Structure formats: structure tokens, C-alpha cells
Amino acid sequence: MPRVTTIVRKPAVKADRVVDTITLDHAARNRRHAALKGAGGTEIHLDLDMETTINDGDALRLEDGQLVQVKAAAESLLEVRAENPLRLMRLAWHLGSNHGLAEMTADALYIENNPALAELARGQGCTVTPVERPFKPERGTHVCDHDHGHHHHGHAHSYDHGHSHGHDHAHEHTHDHDHHHDHAHRHEHGPGCGCGHHHGHKHDH
């Protein structure tokens, strides 16, 4: 079975090298390892070195240099619209908070077709319409978080240390300020507050 380790992006795909096509849904276009079969019967062993999304029009490069072009499959999705764009923004925020997938266009959001998401969208005051179309959600940042984790951890550690140290000082300062404020507060609301407060103020100076 021909092994595929390289994805050729759509602008670089040469039509005369394309020997087959394959239609893949969103999940399949995000796999690193898979056994696939093209429309013309070409068997493919997908074996990519790193996580990536294979987009509509990209091609899988076989070991002999020939290409199998990828077509994004139509999937069952929900088209979400709203008269107020803020509602779509809120829905997108909720989806992002829960690691949900969403494709955004100028006037609609496309999400996976399931009852829970439909209910969430309607709860945000949006209209929901089932549609069949290729799903091309926004690419998440989780892929590169791991690569930079140790680097960020080092910075975060030194920052936390400095922040904690600064916070202690800030806390002490706040405490002194609160104590002074409470002291003044008692005077202001105590018997003969005006005279007592001014007398105490002159005494301090």
C-alpha cells in the first residue's frame, strides 16, 4: 500500500500529477494515520509526522510523486443565523469555551448537527437550519500548545514568583490602607463626628 507522508497544498497541486481523488469528511481530514481508498481504487496509507488539517483541494503525495487530490465531503451541519450579530458572537464564545467546533462566515455560523448544539444555539436567540455542506471549522490552537508548553512554563514560573512577591507587598499596603480607612470611617460616623474628626486630624499633625 503506497505510503503518504506529505500533503501538497492546493496552490502547488499540479493537475497532470493527480492520478485519483478522495472525498474525506472533517474528521478524516484531521487524521495523521489512516488507511484510505481513492475513488479510482488507489489504496493509501496515511502516515503524517505532525498534526495538520487537509483542506479541500489539497493532495496526498504518494511515494512515486503522484498525487491523490482531496475533496471535502458534504456533512450534516446546522446553519446558525441571528438578526443581532452579538448573539452569534456569544454562541461562538460558548462553543470555544467547551472546545466545540464552528465554521464562521460573514453572516452565519456552521456547527455540527446534534440536538444539544441546536438547543444551545436557540437558547442564544439564534435561528437554526439543517444543511449539507463541507465542514471547515476554525483551526484550534491546541496543536502547538504542547510544543511550547515547557518554554511558557519557565516564563510563567518566574512571573508567578514575581507576581506573588509583589502581591504580598500590595496586600500589606492594602491592609494598612483599610485600617486607616476603617479608623476614619468610625470617626465619621461616631458621636460628634465633625469635631472629633478635625480634632484628631490636627493632633496627628
Side-chain angles (χ1 to χ4, degrees):
M1 186 183 292
R3 188 162 160 261
V4 169
T5 58
T6 306
I7 304 301
V8 179
R9 296 303 179 186
K10 187 176 179 178
V13 172
K14 291 186 172 69
D16 59 346
R17 290 207 174 182
V18 175
V19 294
D20 206 343
T21 60
I22 189 166
T23 301
L24 302 174
D25 64 13
H26 170 256
R29 286 184 284 112
N30 279 273
R31 287 191 195 127
R32 285 175 58 187
H33 308 286
L36 306 170
K37 194 168 188 176
T42 306
E43 292 187 333
I44 301 158
H45 173 57
L46 191 65
D47 188 18
L48 303 177
D49 289 339
M50 61 181 69
E51 291 184 48
T52 188
T53 297
I54 305 167
N55 300 311
D56 185 58
D58 290 351
L60 310 177
R61 186 181 181 278
L62 305 177
E63 288 173 304
D64 61 5
Q66 293 183 314
L67 305 176
V68 174
Q69 192 156 31
V70 175
K71 185 179 178 185
E75 302 183 48
S76 179
L77 303 175
L78 297 175
E79 181 182 83
V80 184
R81 294 177 180 270
E83 289 181 15
N84 182 350
L86 185 60
R87 289 175 177 172
L88 283 181
M89 287 172 66
R90 280 202 188 109
L91 176 60
W93 183 87
H94 280 291
L95 289 166
S97 297
N98 292 291
H99 303 288
L101 296 172
E103 178 183 349
M104 285 169 257
T105 64
D107 55 358
L109 247 135
Y110 293 91
I111 56 179
E112 292 171 287
N113 187 355
N114 73 52
L117 289 181
E119 188 179 343
L120 174 64
R122 290 192 182 103
Q124 293 296 322
C126 302
T127 58
V128 177
T129 310
V131 294
E132 290 281 333
R133 76 196 294 276
F135 191 30
K136 303 170 188 175
E138 294 293 315
R139 185 152 167 73
T141 56
H142 68 277
V143 173
C144 63
D145 284 348
H146 180 73
D147 296 339
H148 301 289
H150 293 294
H151 178 69
H152 282 176
H153 179 72
H155 277 288
H157 179 72
S158 56
Y159 171 75
D160 287 343
H161 178 72
H163 179 69
S164 301
H165 185 65
H167 181 69
D168 291 341
H169 282 297
H171 182 70
E172 287 166 13
H173 176 71
T174 305
H175 179 73
D176 293 345
H177 176 73
D178 289 345
H179 180 72
H180 174 72
H181 176 73
D182 290 343
H183 184 65
H185 188 70
R186 282 195 292 272
H187 272 302
E188 284 166 13
H189 291 275
C193 60
C195 176
H197 179 71
H198 287 301
H199 178 74
H201 183 68
K202 286 173 186 170
H203 181 73
D204 289 340
H205 282 284

